């Protein structure tokens, strides 16, 4: 009799262990690990309902999407800078050549006036070109940051469905709204880990 009870108790305990294993590693719908377990880093994370914060400067600088997009933007910026330098150098050469010809009397007054008007027109065109590319680069940079912010916001919506934080604050070096906070409430690394894991997909 005691032997049968012992077998039943062991069977119940084994079933309970298996049940806990299944509940821990599977969702109720039978899918694989939850989003929380996929994005979670090795660091301790604040409890549900906590008010937590993200160091946004550190998050962005470590975000692979930011690194990739900034790399592309810097390459484009370098290319444009070389183009502007080349155009500027070519214009300076024309101006010096014109000044030398005028000083040496190698062109008539009428030719000098025509060339001066032409150079003034080219100077205006160059200034407008520089202004245009600067505006274009500023717009691209603004779009890049909006893309990053949108990706972070979209991620945090899914992230917080698992963690259920009451409030997620943002802090940076320039606008530090959090004067003092417990490191256990800083979820920067955990969010960064998840963002990069999702971006790699």
């Amino acid at each position: 009799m005691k032997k049968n009870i012992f077998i039943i108790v062991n069977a119940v305990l084994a079933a309970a262990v298996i049940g806990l294993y299944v509940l821990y590693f599977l969702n109720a719908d039978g899918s694989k690990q939850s989003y929380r377990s996929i994005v979670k880093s090795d660091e301790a994370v604040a409890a549900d309902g906590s008010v937590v914060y993200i160091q946004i400067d550190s998050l962005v600088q470590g975000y692979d999407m930011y690194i990739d997009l900034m790399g592309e933007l810097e390459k484009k910026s370098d290319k444009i800078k070389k183009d502007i330098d080349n155009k500027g150098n070519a214009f300076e050469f024309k101006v010096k050549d014109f000044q030398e010809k005028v000083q040496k009397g190698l062109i008539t007054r009428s030719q000098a006036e025509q060339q001066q008007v032409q150079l003034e027109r080219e100077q205006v065109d160059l200034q407008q070109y520089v202004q245009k590319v600067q505006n274009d680069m500023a717009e691209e940079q603004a779009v890049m940051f909006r893309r990053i912010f949108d990706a972070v916001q979209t991620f945090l919506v899914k992230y917080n469905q698992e963690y259920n934080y009451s409030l997620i604050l943002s802090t940076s070096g320039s606008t530090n709204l959090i004067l003092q906070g417990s490191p256990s409430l800083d979820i920067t690394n955990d969010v960064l880990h998840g963002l990069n894991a999702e971006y790699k997909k």
Side-chain angles (χ1 to χ4, degrees):
M1 182 75 177
K2 287 184 179 180
K3 190 174 182 183
N4 288 339
I5 292 171
F6 182 74
I7 292 170
I8 291 169
V9 169
N10 280 342
V12 169
L13 287 174
V17 169
I18 292 169
L20 287 173
Y21 182 88
V22 169
L23 286 173
Y24 185 78
F25 287 101
L26 297 177
N27 290 326
D29 61 357
S31 61
K32 292 184 179 178
Q33 287 184 10
S34 70
Y35 190 76
R36 183 171 187 161
S37 62
I38 291 170
V39 301
K40 186 168 169 47
S41 69
D42 294 332
E43 296 188 6
V45 179
D48 289 7
S50 298
V51 174
V52 294
Y53 65 94
I54 294 171
Q55 297 177 37
I56 200 68
D57 293 344
S58 300
L59 182 75
V60 170
Q61 289 172 8
Y63 187 17
D64 291 339
M65 181 182 183
Y66 168 81
I67 294 167
D68 290 346
L69 292 178
M70 184 55 80
E72 291 173 13
L73 199 65
E74 285 175 354
K75 285 179 185 177
K76 190 168 186 178
S77 178
D78 290 343
K79 187 177 178 181
I80 288 171
K81 186 179 181 301
K82 286 178 184 177
D83 184 46
I84 290 173
D85 288 345
N86 290 338
K87 289 180 186 296
N89 291 336
F91 178 73
E92 284 181 16
F93 178 80
K94 284 185 180 180
V95 170
K96 287 179 183 177
D97 183 59
F98 167 72
Q99 290 172 342
E100 286 179 8
K101 285 179 179 177
V102 170
Q103 288 172 358
K104 292 178 181 179
L106 301 177
I107 54 176
T108 65
R109 183 176 297 175
S110 175
Q111 289 173 328
E113 288 174 356
Q114 288 177 357
Q115 287 188 25
Q116 185 170 356
V117 169
Q118 178 63 29
L119 287 171
E120 287 172 356
R121 191 178 295 125
E122 287 184 22
Q123 184 179 22
V124 170
D125 289 344
L126 181 59
Q127 288 171 342
Q128 289 177 343
Y129 172 74
V130 170
Q131 187 64 48
K132 181 184 181 303
V133 295
Q134 285 177 342
N135 291 342
D136 289 346
M137 288 300 296
E139 185 180 8
E140 283 197 40
Q141 188 175 38
V143 168
M144 180 193 77
F145 279 111
R146 282 198 296 270
R147 285 179 63 189
I148 291 166
F149 181 75
D150 181 67
V152 171
Q153 284 288 89
T154 302
F155 174 82
L156 285 176
V157 169
K158 294 184 285 186
Y159 178 88
N160 208 36
Q161 286 174 355
E162 297 286 344
Y163 285 87
N164 300 314
Y165 293 133
S166 297
L167 194 64
I168 300 177
L169 301 176
S170 158
T171 179
S172 69
S174 56
T175 55
N176 197 346
L177 301 175
I178 299 171
L179 300 178
Q180 184 65 35
S182 169
S184 65
L185 301 177
D186 183 354
I187 62 169
T188 306
N189 290 335
D190 198 55
V191 171
L192 181 59
H193 177 84
L195 273 170
N196 285 334
E198 188 162 282
Y199 179 65
K200 284 175 183 176
K201 292 179 187 177

